[in-house]
Amino acid sequence: MALVTTTEMFKKAYEGGYAIGAFNINNMEIVQGITEAAHELNSPIILQASKGARAYANSVYLVKLVEGALALYPDLPVALHLDHGPDFETCKDCVDSGFTSVMIDASSKPFEENIEITRKVVEYAHDHGVVVEAELGTLAGIEDDVKVSAEDSSYTNPDDVEEFVTKTGVDSLAIAIGTSHGAYKFKPGTKPQLRFDILDEVVKRLPGFPIVLHGASSVPQEYVKIINEHGGALKDAIGVPEDQLREAARSAVCKINIDSDLRLGMTAGIRTVFSENPAAFDPREYLKVGRKNVKDIVSHKIKDVLGSEGAALK
Ligand code: G3H
Ligand code: 13P
Ligand code: ZN
């Protein structure tokens, strides 16, 4: 199977009450860890690359790495997605180079401007058989070099969503309901709680329409502990409770974005090897431990959080 768009994936996920995991890729080991897990569990998967990932690895390598995974697992439904596309040109470049889905993130711009940029991307992408995700509302945290403070973040206003989707023709919509990017999502001592009331209001206005959750890492404490026990310094790293993500996946949320958890897994693996064997200097020795953690984390998400196990067979 060649790369697919997310259209069919989202339709089945919506009807089946599960979500597709969108995992960020930056290098070969991460692509391998994610796709090995998805293959073993017959789960459709979205591999997404940010502007920073494309600059780090060179987008050509990322596309070829994903093609490599498809050559190994020809029956696996895989979409290649641009995460947080900052402008039309970046989206166009991805459409032209084999991505099957792009996100245009103009969520920090005024509403009308967000509509205008998104519509331009949709026109170009749809002409080339590529689907588009856009965002309304602003998440706190750091994406590439853009940092949004908690004070400047804002929940999605459900009254805006219908107009936005109608005027842009976008295929899926990322909303802000209390998640944020990175490993420090909630203040220590507070109870993390997503705003399901906002999600419900959005769904009322957009019945059947696929919703996307960014900033959905759970920051597994076992990996934070391993990192800290092996020389790391991640204090008060807190993520989204997995039961709340499972609840979101059962409703209109069809795509759940996870990056930080993979970073934690990779880091925990590498730190463990280095601290237990300071003489290690073969990159294969430490990267394979990180890769195994990435695979374990993705397997857990597919089985216990997203609910997408076996969906590739249906
Ligand atoms: O949303 C942000 C993702 O975690 C990607 O992060 O922009 O540092 O590659 P990045
Ligand atoms: P996390 O930082 O919670 O993993 O979010 C990733 C994300 O939203 C990528 O777009
Ligand atoms: Zn994001």
Side-chain angles (χ1 to χ4, degrees):
M1 194 188 288
L3 283 172
V4 296
T5 71
T6 53
T7 308
E8 190 69 11
M9 284 185 190
F10 288 169
K11 190 170 175 294
K12 288 182 179 168
Y14 204 113
E15 286 163 3
Y18 62 89
I20 310 294
F23 296 98
N24 286 71
I25 57 169
N26 292 282
N27 65 16
M28 181 183 75
E29 286 74 13
I30 295 174
V31 173
Q32 289 174 326
I34 299 165
T35 53
E36 276 175 29
H39 166 70
E40 277 180 20
L41 297 170
N42 289 305
S43 169
I45 207 91
I46 298 168
L47 299 174
Q48 56 185 12
S50 69
K51 174 185 160 195
R54 295 177 77 240
Y56 168 75
N58 188 319
S59 191
V60 175
Y61 275 110
L62 292 178
V63 173
K64 295 292 172 196
L65 285 171
V66 172
E67 285 174 7
L70 275 171
L72 284 174
Y73 312 124
D75 295 332
L76 193 66
V78 180
L80 176 56
H81 174 76
L82 167 66
D83 190 28
H84 294 286
D87 47 41
F88 174 80
E89 286 67 31
T90 309
C91 293
K92 180 179 180 300
D93 194 48
C94 288
V95 169
D96 294 346
S97 61
F99 283 56
T100 53
S101 172
V102 293
M103 175 188 191
I104 173 69
D105 183 358
S107 59
S108 60
K109 305 254 190 311
F111 185 64
E112 293 301 335
E113 211 177 316
N114 189 353
I115 289 180
E116 199 179 314
I117 300 169
T118 302
R119 188 169 50 204
K120 190 174 170 199
V121 171
V122 167
E123 272 168 21
Y124 188 80
H126 283 186
D127 273 354
H128 294 77
V130 170
V131 292
V132 180
E133 172 187 326
E135 180 169 324
L136 265 185
T138 320
L139 271 69
I142 303 171
E143 299 150 19
D144 283 325
D145 39 7
V146 183
K147 186 173 189 302
V148 179
S149 68
E151 299 78 59
D152 291 337
S153 65
S154 61
Y155 294 122
T156 302
N157 180 354
D159 289 335
D160 290 340
V161 298
E162 229 180 317
E163 182 184 353
F164 186 83
V165 167
T166 311
K167 285 190 171 167
T168 58
V170 79
D171 302 280
S172 61
L173 184 67
I175 61 168
I177 58 166
T179 61
S180 59
H181 292 107
Y184 303 91
K185 300 188 190 299
F186 300 97
K187 286 204 177 77
T190 59
K191 190 176 169 294
Q193 180 58 57
L194 299 187
R195 291 287 304 271
F196 283 100
D197 56 321
I198 298 178
L199 175 60
D200 290 345
E201 288 301 319
V202 168
V203 178
K204 268 188 212 158
R205 288 157 175 85
L206 295 174
F209 192 79
I211 301 300
V212 178
L213 266 197
H214 281 248
S217 275
S218 301
V219 188
Q221 293 302 301
E222 63 268 35
Y223 289 102
V224 172
K225 189 163 177 277
I226 293 170
I227 290 170
N228 288 338
E229 282 172 357
H230 293 89
L234 298 179
K235 196 174 174 301
D236 297 329
I238 300 169
V240 183
E242 290 190 335
D243 57 337
Q244 294 186 32
L245 294 170
R246 185 72 201 98
E247 187 178 338
R250 273 195 208 97
S251 76
V253 172
C254 294
K255 173 174 180 270
I256 291 191
N257 283 15
I258 296 166
D259 184 10
S260 296
D261 287 355
L262 304 188
R263 296 181 182 199
L264 292 169
M266 182 60 77
T267 304
I270 293 171
R271 274 200 177 277
T272 305
V273 174
F274 280 150
S275 81
E276 287 175 358
N277 181 7
F281 76 108
D282 181 344
R284 294 170 296 189
E285 202 179 322
Y286 50 86
L287 288 173
K288 78 176 175 198
V289 183
R291 178 175 63 190
K292 172 72 167 58
N293 286 351
V294 167
K295 181 179 174 182
D296 289 348
I297 290 166
V298 173
S299 297
H300 164 66
K301 299 286 177 187
I302 289 170
K303 283 194 279 199
D304 305 322
V305 181
L306 303 160
S308 62
E309 182 177 8
L313 302 172
K314 290 174 194 154

